[in-house]
Amino acid sequence: MSGAGAMERWRSCPALADQDEAFLASVADYLAQLQALSHEQRHCLALFKVAELVNALIQIKERREAVDRVGPELAQRSFALVRSVIRNRTLPYAGSQSQCLRDPQLTAVIDEGCRLFHLGKTNKDLYQQALALSAAQCLALQDQLGPALDQYLQLSGLVVPKTLVTAVRKSFIEAYRS
């Protein structure tokens, strides 16, 4: 997205249809920060984001005991993988080289998302900020999330059901297209 028209076009995406102006203003602020990232930084952040999104859906389905849940073993492996990425700043791939996420700008975005998410567990306003940052990431990384999801699924070593992959695509890629 570039230019003033593209900057506003994101407001019409389905995922943001019911959001208030304060939420959209937060998304706009985060989006401006994320659009300053280089192509390589955006690629690395997209890989982390899809790991985070896949894990989030897995954990939600497990907690809700959904019919299509993946089971506690895969849920724990997914959680451990994302936790390891956050702590070690690398995304390990089964049988190949890891993807480094130690760039200071990436670390700042990842740390801010984690901070907001954890503090948001007890503070509604901070939780809304976490959601705004996540929405901005889905928007800013729109062109890279699909390929990053494919790469993550191929190289992470996790066997994720197609229904979950479809849910990630529908909820976090397609829903953020404008």
Side-chain angles (χ1 to χ4, degrees), residues 2-123:
S2 61
M7 290 295 287
E8 291 302 313
R9 197 171 42 234
W10 62 265
R11 290 176 176 261
S12 67
C13 76
L16 300 175
D18 296 329
Q19 298 298 332
D20 64 26
E21 190 52 44
F23 184 88
L24 295 175
S26 292
V27 171
D29 289 344
Y30 287 125
L31 192 54
Q33 294 170 24
L34 294 167
Q35 288 174 330
L37 297 175
S38 72
H39 180 76
E40 180 61 27
Q41 289 169 322
R42 288 168 24 92
H43 173 73
C44 292
L45 186 58
L47 288 169
F48 172 75
K49 186 65 181 174
V50 296
E52 182 182 62
L53 294 171
V54 166
N55 181 61
L57 283 184
I58 287 173
Q59 302 309 320
I60 289 168
K61 288 178 181 290
E62 284 302 304
R63 274 194 308 271
R64 293 182 181 166
E65 297 183 0
V67 174
D68 62 342
R69 67 183 183 258
V70 298
E73 183 180 318
L74 181 56
Q76 181 55 39
R77 286 182 55 222
S78 176
F79 178 78
L81 178 59
V82 171
R83 182 181 223 173
S84 173
V85 172
I86 292 168
R87 287 186 176 166
N88 300 322
R89 305 300 182 191
T90 60
L91 183 59
Y93 291 134
S96 72
Q97 189 174 2
S98 298
Q99 180 72 48
C100 181
L101 301 170
R102 291 192 178 112
D103 179 283
Q105 287 177 292
L106 295 178
T107 299
V109 171
I110 292 168
D111 287 350
E112 180 68 358
C114 292
R115 182 186 77 79
L116 290 171
F117 176 75
H118 289 292
L119 292 175
K121 290 178 181 179
T122 58
N123 181 314

